[in-house]
Amino acid sequence: MKHLKSTLLLLAAVVVSVSLGAKPRVRIIATGGTIAGVSATSASSAYTAGQVGIQTLIDAVPQMLYLADVSGEQLVNIGSQDMNDEVWLKLAKRVNEILNVEGYDAVVITHGTDTMEETAYFLNLTVKSDKPVILAGSMRPSTAISADGPANLYNAVAAAVSPASKGMGVLCCMNNQLLDAKTVIKTHTIDCDTFEGGPSGIIGYVYNGEAHYLQTPNNRHTVNSVFDVSKLDRLPKVGIVYGYANASPLPMQAFVDAKFEGIVLAGVGDGNFYKDVFDVAVKAQDQGIQIVRSSRCPTGPICLNSEVDDAKYHFVAALDLNPQKARVLLMLALTRTHDWQEIQQYYKEY
Ligand code: DGL
């Protein structure tokens, strides 16, 4: 009876706050990137990422205050080429604290675009909330003519307060588009329209200050993810080896010698590797280093037991994950198991 009473009181408080027009509370976590970049002149393409603080970014977009009660904090201020395990763990723990302890309605993360897809996927597997978590960046620095950051930040907040965004998993918001964490990929080095959603395409759009969805993710994420980093202070070391004609086995051997726990191959075609590299991979797997076959091809699945007999060598096929995301999943998988068949199941589900 007591529980029912407290639930009814909470419900009443929500109804009152909504009826009084209280805006959703959105917390913006800044990590740096070009959105916080500064160029020599507004016309210059020479710039340095991670220079401008979160309050400056918020002050540049006063329109979003009509959408939400916005506040910000600076986690780091780096180019995302310098994103690392330590920041990822801090970020995931902070997002969960903001949403599940401090009661915010959504989180927006400003981030460089170079590794945004990796951070988004890592958070997709480690955030324990169905509230919106949306990453925004830019391809032009904050000081550039027609800087794209302010509009991307406004649209990310608009998506964050859109009821339809609940339960969509972690998203990226760029160029009026919404992209889900599993399929988002940066495809162009300088174009504002650089992000694409792979074969399944974008998940939605933001316009007129709200999110409009075309589809929903069909993989496990956030509250349906088994991965929990709350008690971790490090992540397993996993490297990526690039495949090509007549490839040297030295990079893979170097990961073996450095006692990495996993190695992802950005293989040629359907996740194939040059014979000298293959020989090192077989030895690595026999030593307990998990090998995951992905591909340098931008699209298409890496098929299990196709040209490579994965069952024979206990390799894992990355299925729909490109090398950089296959690495993220392998890092988290290795926090739970070293069994190749259990790991393969994670690639089927996440
Ligand atoms: N240094 C790159 C980064 O922080 C700039 C690219 C960008 O943010 O658009 O990812």
Side-chain angles (χ1 to χ4, degrees):
M1 189 59 186
K2 187 178 175 186
H3 181 67
L4 177 62
K5 185 179 176 185
S6 59
T7 302
L8 288 174
L9 283 173
L10 178 63
L11 188 60
V14 168
V15 168
V16 167
S17 64
V18 169
S19 63
L20 290 178
K23 297 185 182 71
R25 297 172 64 226
V26 175
R27 190 71 171 171
I28 301 178
I29 303 175
T31 70
T34 297
I35 193 169
V38 172
S39 54
T41 71
S42 59
S44 164
S45 56
Y47 73 92
T48 305
Q51 301 300 301
V52 171
I54 178 58
Q55 198 52 52
T56 304
L57 298 181
I58 292 173
D59 294 345
V61 193
Q63 301 88 336
M64 63 184 167
L65 302 181
Y66 291 103
L67 299 173
D69 172 4
V70 172
S71 59
E73 61 187 66
Q74 194 84 37
L75 186 72
V76 291
N77 211 348
I78 58 173
S80 77
Q81 64 269 34
D82 290 329
M83 189 50 68
N84 59 47
D85 299 0
E86 180 190 1
V87 177
W88 274 359
L89 288 170
K90 279 182 182 173
L91 185 56
K93 292 171 183 176
R94 184 62 188 131
V95 169
N96 284 324
E97 184 179 42
I98 288 169
L99 295 176
N100 296 331
V101 177
E102 299 176 6
Y104 283 84
D105 298 293
V107 167
V108 168
I109 299 166
T110 56
H111 193 291
T113 61
D114 287 356
T115 59
M116 185 186 284
E117 64 203 71
E118 297 172 57
T119 299
Y121 191 53
F122 177 78
L123 293 173
N124 208 39
L125 301 175
T126 56
V127 165
K128 299 302 173 191
S129 173
D130 62 1
K131 296 176 181 177
V133 176
I134 299 178
L135 285 79
S138 74
M139 292 300 285
R140 296 178 184 141
S142 65
T143 49
I145 300 170
S146 301
D148 55 326
N152 290 342
L153 183 54
Y154 176 84
N155 286 334
V157 172
V161 301
S162 294
S165 299
K166 187 178 173 72
M168 283 291 184
V170 175
L171 304 175
C172 295
C173 180
M174 289 286 291
N175 211 38
N176 283 89
Q177 297 179 341
L178 291 167
L179 305 104
D180 84 281
K182 180 168 184 176
T183 60
V184 63
I185 183 168
K186 183 173 182 177
T187 65
H188 198 282
T189 55
I190 59 173
D191 194 337
C192 285
D193 192 19
T194 182
F195 282 95
E196 294 184 5
S200 55
I202 65 173
I203 198 170
Y205 293 95
V206 187
Y207 53 84
N208 291 339
E210 62 181 310
H212 304 268
Y213 288 95
L214 305 171
Q215 51 186 326
T216 56
N218 61 6
N219 53 290
R220 294 179 68 174
H221 58 75
T222 57
V223 293
N224 293 317
S225 168
V226 297
F227 302 111
D228 179 359
V229 297
S230 60
K231 296 181 177 57
L232 296 182
D233 56 13
R234 64 172 291 278
L235 292 169
K237 285 298 173 199
V238 173
I240 300 177
V241 172
Y242 200 82
Y244 52 91
N246 201 45
S248 165
L250 291 177
M252 187 168 278
Q253 187 59 53
F255 284 136
V256 173
D257 296 343
K259 301 198 183 322
F260 272 48
E261 295 181 55
I263 301 172
V264 172
L265 189 102
V268 294
D270 188 5
N272 298 309
F273 17 148
Y274 186 65
K275 57 188 172 59
D276 295 354
V277 178
F278 190 94
D279 293 345
V280 175
V282 171
K283 293 184 185 118
Q285 185 71 43
D286 290 345
Q287 292 173 35
I289 298 172
Q290 186 57 55
I291 300 293
V292 173
R293 295 188 306 108
S294 185
S295 175
R296 71 184 198 181
C297 295
T299 58
I302 295 83
C303 306
L304 192 56
N305 299 319
S306 56
E307 286 188 76
V308 175
D309 187 346
D310 296 299
K312 176 180 177 182
Y313 298 107
H314 296 181
F315 293 163
V316 166
L319 307 180
D320 300 315
L321 291 179
N322 63 25
Q324 54 269 33
K325 293 191 183 172
R327 172 177 174 269
V328 171
L329 182 52
L330 182 54
M331 289 165 75
L332 290 169
L334 290 169
T335 66
R336 292 180 59 85
T337 180
H338 281 72
D339 180 289
W340 68 281
Q341 290 175 301
E342 290 178 7
I343 294 172
Q344 183 65 73
Q345 185 59 30
Y346 287 145
Y347 281 79
K348 291 178 181 175
E349 296 177 5
Y350 291 92

